[in-house]
C-alpha cells in the first residue's frame, strides 16, 4: 500500500524527519572521518570548541552565519514561488560591486551610518539586477530558471574578475582588488554584543551586517506570511495554474519575486566586503550562495529555520577551520563533504524515512 | 594569423572539447529521459579522482578508466535513487553531488597522498598517451594538409577517438533502437510509457547509468589523458559548460558535438589570444571568452536563435497512478 498519501502530524514532518535526515548526514560524515583514520568524537569536540569555545570563535561563527542567512533567505523567497534560484552566488558577487561603489564614493565624506543605507541599497539593486534577466527569461520565454541562473553565475564571475583586474584595481598594485575603504565605508564590529555575554571578539569580523540580516529575516517573514504579495507568491509556488486562474499575474509575480531574491543575495556582500575585508576582492562570496541552498532546505524556507540552519553552518565553517588546524589530516574540504551530505539527506532524500515512519505511526502512534 | 597558429588552435580545440563532448552526451541521456542532471560536474570530478587513484595504484590506464566509470555510475545511481525512487528534487540532488565531489575528492586525496589534494604524478605508461597515425611525422612538414593531419587528426589519445565514436553511437541508440525510443518517450510523456506496460523507473535508471559511463570517460580523460594526475577541483566548471552545450544543441546528439567543439574552440582561442594585441582594440580580455559560452546559451534560451525546447517531463518525478 502506498504510504505517500498518509497524513502525519506536524511535529513529525517538520521536527522528527529533518532531524533524522540530519543525524544520518552527520553519521556518514563521521564515517568519513573514521575512514581516514581520525576519531570522529574527538573531531566533533574540537569542532565545537573551535566554533563556540570562546568569544572569538563565536564571533567567526556568527560572521559566517550572517552570510548564510542572507543567501538562505534569497533561496527561500524564490522557493516559495516555486522558483529554484541557484544563482544567489552570482547575485551576491555582483551585489558586492554595488556595496563597494557606495563605500568608495562616500567613505571620504561621511561616517559609516550614512554610508550604510546607500551600501545596502546598492548591494540590493546590483544583486537584483543580476537576477532580472533570468527572471525575465523564466517569466516571458519559459527558460528554466535553474539553467539561466547557473549561466549567470559564470557570466557574473567573469565580469567581476574583468572589472577587478582592469577597472577597479589600484594602479601599480598586483592584487585584483579595490583600495581599502576608510572607516566611513566600513561596517563596525559588534564587539559590544559579544562583550555583553562576557566574551572577547578578538580578530573575528563579526559586524553590523548580522543585525541587517536579522531585520531582513523579519521583513521576509512579514512579506511571505502577512502581505497580499506574499500570498500571491505562495499561491504561485503551490500551483502556477491555479494562481493564474485566480488572477495572479504570472510574469509580474515571478519577476518581482526574483528581484527580491537577488536583492537579498546581493546584501550578503555587505558582510565580507564592508564588514570584514573593507575592500572588494575576487571570489569573496566563496560558495556562500550554494550554502544558502542547504540552509534554505534545512530551514524549510522559514526565517527562523534559516537563522538556525545558518548558525549550524557557521559552526561547521568556523569549527572546520579550527579542526583542520588541530587535525591536519582533516582539511577544510571536510566542511564541503558535510554540506553535500546535508543537502543530499535533508534535501533530495527528505522523504527517505517517511514510509517507515508512516508504518510505525499507524501501528503505535494512533492508539 | 599564421597557418601554424590555426593548426595549433584547432589541435587544442579538439583536446579541450573531448571532456565536454562526453559530459554533454551524458546529460543528453539523462535529460532526454526526464531527469535533470546538474551533478554532471561532480560525476566528472569523482571519476577523475577514481581514475587517477586506480591508475596510480595499478599502473594501468585501462583499470583507471574502469574505476572512473564504476565510481561515476555509482554516483549516478545515488542521483537516481534520490530523484527516481525517492522522488526527491533532482536539482537539489545534483547540487549535493557537486558538493560531495568537490569535498570528498579533496579530503580523500589529502588523507591518502598528503599532496594538497593532488594525486601523485603518473608515469607515461599509466596514462592514455598520444597515438601517432601512420606517416604523421613524415607529413608534418608538407604544407597545410599534412600539418592538419599530423596535429589535428593524429596525435590524440584513444579517449579522443572514443568520444567522436560516442556521438554517432549515442545518436544510433537514441534514434534507432527500441530502448532509445522509449527513453525519449519517458522524457516527454512518462504516463504513456507506463500505460504501455514499460517500467518508467527502470528506464530512467538505465538512462542515468548511460550518463554515468559517459561521465566516467570524461573524468578519466581529464585526469589521466589530458593531465598526469588528479588536481583538486580540476573539472573547473566544465560540467556546467557541457550543460550549456547540451542546451545550446537543443538536446540532440550531433549538434551537441558541434556545440562542444565551438565552446572548446572559444577556450582554445582565449588561450591563444592571451597577451596578444589586436590592432585597434588592444588586448582582448580573456574573461570575454570565458563568459561567451554562457552568454550564447542565454541568448539561445531567450529565443533569439531558434527555440530550445527541453524534454517535457524534465525535472518532474513520475508518480504512478493508483
Amino acid at each position: 500500500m502506498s504510504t505517500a498519501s498518509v497524513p502525519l502530524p506536524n511535529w513529525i514532518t517538520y521536527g522528527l524527519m529533518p532531524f533524522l535526515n540530519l543525524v544520518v548526514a552527520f553519521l556518514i560524515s563521521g564515517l568519513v572521518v573514521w575512514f581516514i583514520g581520525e576519531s570522529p568524537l574527538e573531531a566533533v569536540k574540537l569542532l565545537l570548541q573551535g566554533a563556540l569555545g570562546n568569544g572569538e570563535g563565536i564571533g567567526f561563527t556568527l560572521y559566517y552565519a550572517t552570510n548564510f542567512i542572507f543567501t538562505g533567505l534569497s533561496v527561500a523567497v524564490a522557493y516559495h514561488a516555486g522558483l529554484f534560484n541557484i544563482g544567489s552566488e552570482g547575485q551576491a558577487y555582483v551585489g558586492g560591486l554595488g556595496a563597494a561603489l557606495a563605500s568608495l564614493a562616500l567613505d571620504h565624506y561621511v561616517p559609516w551610518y550614512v554610508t550604510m543605507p546607500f551600501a545596502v541599497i546598492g548591494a540590493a539593486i546590483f544583486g537584483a539586477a543580476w537576477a532580472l534577466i533570468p527572471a525575465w527569461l523564466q517569466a516571458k520565454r519559459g527558460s528554466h530558471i535553474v539553467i539561466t541562473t547557473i549561466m549567470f553565475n559564470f557570466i557574473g564571475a567573469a565580469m567581476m574578475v574583468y572589472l577587478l583586474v582592469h577597472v577597479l584595481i589600484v594602479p601599480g598594485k598586483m592584487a585584483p582588488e579595490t583600495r581599502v575603504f576608510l572607516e566611513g565605508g566600513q561596517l563596525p564590529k559588534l564587539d559590544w554584543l559579544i562583550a555583553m555575554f562576557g566574551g572577547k571578539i578578538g580578530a573575528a569580523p563579526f559586524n553590523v551586517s548580522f543585525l541587517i540580516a536579522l531585520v531582513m529575516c523579519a521583513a521576509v517573514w512579514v512579506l511571505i506570511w502577512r502581505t497580499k504579495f506574499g500570498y500571491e507568491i505562495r499561491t504561485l509556488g503551490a500551483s502556477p495554474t491555479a494562481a493564474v486562474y485566480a488572477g495572479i499575474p504570472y510574469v509580474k509575480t515571478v519577476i518581482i519575486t526574483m528581484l527580491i531574491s537577488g536583492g537579498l543575495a546581493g546584501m550578503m556582500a555587505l558582510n565580507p566586503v564592508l564588514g570584514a575585508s573593507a575592500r572588494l576582492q575576487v571570489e569573496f562570496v566563496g560558495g556562500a550562495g550554494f550554502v544558502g541552498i542547504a540552509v534554505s532546505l534545512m530551514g524549510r524556507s522559514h526565517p527562523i529555520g534559516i537563522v538556525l540552519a545558518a548558525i549550524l553552518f557557521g559552526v561547521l565553517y568556523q569549527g572546520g577551520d579550527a579542526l583542520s588546524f588541530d587535525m591536519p589530516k582533516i582539511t577544510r574540504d571536510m566542511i564541503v563533504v558535510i554540506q553535500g551530505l546535508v543537502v543530499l539527506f535533508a534535501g533530495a532524500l527528505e522523504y527517505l524515512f517517511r514510509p517507515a515512519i508512516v508504518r510505525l505511526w499507524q501501528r503505535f502512534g494512533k492508539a | 594569423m599564421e597557418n601554424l597558429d590555426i593548426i595549433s588552435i584547432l589541435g587544442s580545440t579538439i583536446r579541450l572539447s573531448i571532456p565536454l563532448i562526453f559530459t554533454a552526451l551524458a546529460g543528453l541521456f539523462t535529460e532526454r529521459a526526464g531527469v535533470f542532471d546538474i551533478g554532471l560536474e561532480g560525476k566528472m570530478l569523482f571519476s577523475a579522482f577514481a581514475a587517477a587513484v586506480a591508475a596510480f595504484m595499478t599502473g594501468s590506464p585501462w583499470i583507471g578508466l574502469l574505476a572512473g566509470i564504476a565510481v561515476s555510475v555509482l554516483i549516478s545511481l545515488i542521483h537516481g535513487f534520490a530523484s527516481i525512487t525517492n522522488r526527491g528534487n533532482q536539482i537539489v540532488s545534483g547540487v549535493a553531488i557537486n558538493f560531495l565531489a568537490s569535498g570528498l575528492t579533496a579530503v580523500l586525496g589529502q588523507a591518502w597522498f598528503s599532496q594538497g589534494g593532488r594525486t601523485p604524478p603518473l608515469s607515461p605508461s599509466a596514462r592514455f598517451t598520444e597515438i601517432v597515425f601512420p606517416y604523421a611525422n613524415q607529413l608534418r612538414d608538407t604544407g597545410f594538409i599534412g600539418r592538419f593531419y599530423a596535429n589535428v587528426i593524429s596525435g590524440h589519445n584513444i579517449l579522443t577517438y572514443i568520444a567522436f565514436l560516442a556521438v554517432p553511437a549515442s545518436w544510433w541508440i537514441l534514434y534507432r533502437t527500441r530502448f532509445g525510443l522509449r527513453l525519449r518517450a519517458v522524457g516527454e510523456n512518462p504516463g504513456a510509457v507506463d500505460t504501455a506496460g514499460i517500467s518508467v523507473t527502470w528506464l530512467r535508471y538505465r538512462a542515468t547509468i548511460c550518463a554515468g559511463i559517459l561521465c566516467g570517460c570524461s573524468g578519466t580523460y581529464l585526469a589521466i589523458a589530458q593531465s598526469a594526475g588528479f588536481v583538486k577541483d580540476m573539472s573547473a566548471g566544465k560540467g556546467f559548460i557541457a550543460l550549456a552545450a547540451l542546451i545550446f544543441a537543443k538536446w540532440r546528439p550531433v549538434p551537441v558535438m558541434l556545440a562542444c567543439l565551438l565552446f572548446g574552440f572559444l577556450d582554445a582561442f582565449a588561450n591563444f589570444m592571451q597577451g596578444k594585441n589586436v590592432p585597434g582594440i588592444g588586448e582582448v580580455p580573456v574573461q570575454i571568452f570565458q563568459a561567451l559560452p554562457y552568454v550564447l546559451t542565454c541568448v539561445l534560451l531567450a529565443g533569439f536563435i531558434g527555440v530550445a525546447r527541453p524534454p517535457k517531463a524534465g525535472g518532474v518525478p513520475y508518480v504512478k497512478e493508483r
Side-chain angles (χ1 to χ4, degrees), chain B residues 122-307:
Chain B
L122 297 169
S123 63
S125 67
R127 295 179 54 209
F128 288 112
T129 44
E130 286 79 34
I131 301 166
V132 179
F133 278 20
Y135 307 114
N137 285 328
Q138 289 87 324
L139 289 167
R140 196 173 292 276
D141 304 316
T142 55
F144 188 81
I145 307 251
R147 245 183 264 129
F148 188 82
Y149 176 73
N151 291 329
V152 182
I153 307 283
S154 160
H156 298 288
N157 58 70
I158 181 93
L159 286 174
T160 307
Y161 302 106
I162 293 178
F164 283 105
L165 288 178
V167 176
S170 300
W171 175 84
W172 188 79
I173 291 172
L174 283 173
Y175 289 91
R176 286 294 179 272
T177 65
R178 191 155 61 168
F179 167 64
L181 176 69
R182 289 172 174 178
L183 189 149
R184 285 181 292 130
V186 93
E188 297 290 336
N189 189 345
V193 177
D194 199 16
T195 315
I198 302 156
S199 164
V200 173
T201 309
W202 173 226
L203 254 173
R204 285 190 167 170
Y205 264 110
R206 276 183 288 172
T208 56
I209 292 171
C210 292
I213 295 170
L214 287 160
C215 273
C217 294
S218 87
T220 307
Y221 179 89
L222 281 184
I224 67 176
Q226 201 173 32
S227 350
F230 176 84
V231 184
K232 193 181 155 186
D233 284 327
M234 75 184 307
S235 52
K238 287 197 178 62
F240 292 110
I241 297 206
L243 194 65
L246 174 64
I247 298 159
F248 197 71
K250 303 172 189 173
W251 294 270
R252 289 166 306 165
V254 177
V256 158
M257 178 187 74
L258 297 175
C260 290
L261 284 171
L262 171 69
F263 292 174
F265 172 76
L266 286 175
D267 202 359
F269 192 65
N271 291 341
F272 171 77
M273 289 301 287
Q274 221 157 10
K276 288 199 175 60
N277 273 308
V278 178
I281 307 176
E283 193 182 328
V284 181
V286 62
Q287 288 84 17
I288 289 188
F289 296 105
Q290 285 168 353
L292 211 50
Y294 305 111
V295 175
L296 283 175
T297 306
C298 283
V299 171
L300 177 84
L301 282 171
F304 297 127
I305 339 171
V307 181

Side-chain angles (χ1 to χ4, degrees), chain A residues 55 58-59 62-63 66 112 187-197 199-202 204-214 271 275:
Chain A
I58 293 174
L62 291 176
Y63 164 74
T66 308
W112 67 270
L187 293 178
K189 284 188 182 183
L190 289 175
D191 37 5
W192 52 270
L193 193 64
I194 301 273
M196 251 163 60
F197 297 95
K200 282 212 184 76
I201 194 166
F206 176 50
N207 62 76
V208 171
S209 313
F210 177 69
L211 303 180
I212 303 176
L214 293 185
N271 191 36

Side-chain angles (χ1 to χ4, degrees), chain B residues 66-88:
Chain B
L66 278 183
I69 289 177
V71 167
S72 171
V73 168
L74 183 74
I75 305 297
S76 292
L77 290 176
I78 293 178
H79 183 54
F81 178 69
S83 56
I84 305 169
T85 305
N86 269 282
R87 297 196 281 271

Side-chain angles (χ1 to χ4, degrees), chain B residues 41-49 101-102 105 230-231 233-235:
Chain B
E41 171 91 4
K43 276 183 259 185
M44 220 169 154
L45 199 58
F46 261 126
S47 66
F49 181 71
S102 168
T105 54
F230 176 84
V231 184
D233 284 327
M234 75 184 307
S235 52

Side-chain angles (χ1 to χ4, degrees), chain A residues 2-4 17 21 24 343-357 359, chain B residues 35 76-93 200-202 204-205 208 315-320:
Chain A
S2 169
T3 49
M17 271 170 38
N21 290 329
V24 174
V343 176
L344 186 66
F345 283 96
L349 288 169
E350 61 179 330
Y351 301 124
L352 185 62
F353 299 113
R354 200 171 191 281
I357 291 175
R359 254 173 264 128
Chain B
V35 179
S76 292
L77 290 176
I78 293 178
H79 183 54
F81 178 69
S83 56
I84 305 169
T85 305
N86 269 282
R87 297 196 281 271
N89 189 317
Q90 300 169 1
I91 313 279
V92 175
S93 166
V200 173
T201 309
W202 173 226
R204 285 190 167 170
Y205 264 110
T208 56
V316 189
Y318 180 65
V319 185
K320 204 178 166 80

Side-chain angles (χ1 to χ4, degrees), chain A residues 65-154:
Chain A
T66 308
N67 288 343
F68 306 146
I69 293 174
F70 280 121
T71 52
L73 287 176
S74 161
V75 175
V77 168
Y79 198 75
H80 278 294
L83 301 166
F84 207 116
N85 179 12
I86 210 165
S88 300
E89 183 83 9
Q91 289 143 17
Y93 205 172
V94 177
L97 185 61
L101 288 179
S103 273
L104 286 172
L106 297 172
D107 64 348
H108 279 289
Y109 312 106
V110 293
W112 67 270
Y113 47 84
V114 180
T115 311
M116 189 179 80
F118 289 98
V120 172
I121 292 167
I125 288 179
F126 275 64
W130 210 242
L132 176 63
I133 296 177
W136 180 80
L137 285 172
Q138 164 81 41
K140 290 289 261 193
R141 299 280 181 170
S143 322
H144 206 292
I145 195 114
V146 170
I147 304 294
T148 45
T149 46
I150 289 178
M151 304 289 134
F152 266 72
N153 281 344
F154 285 99

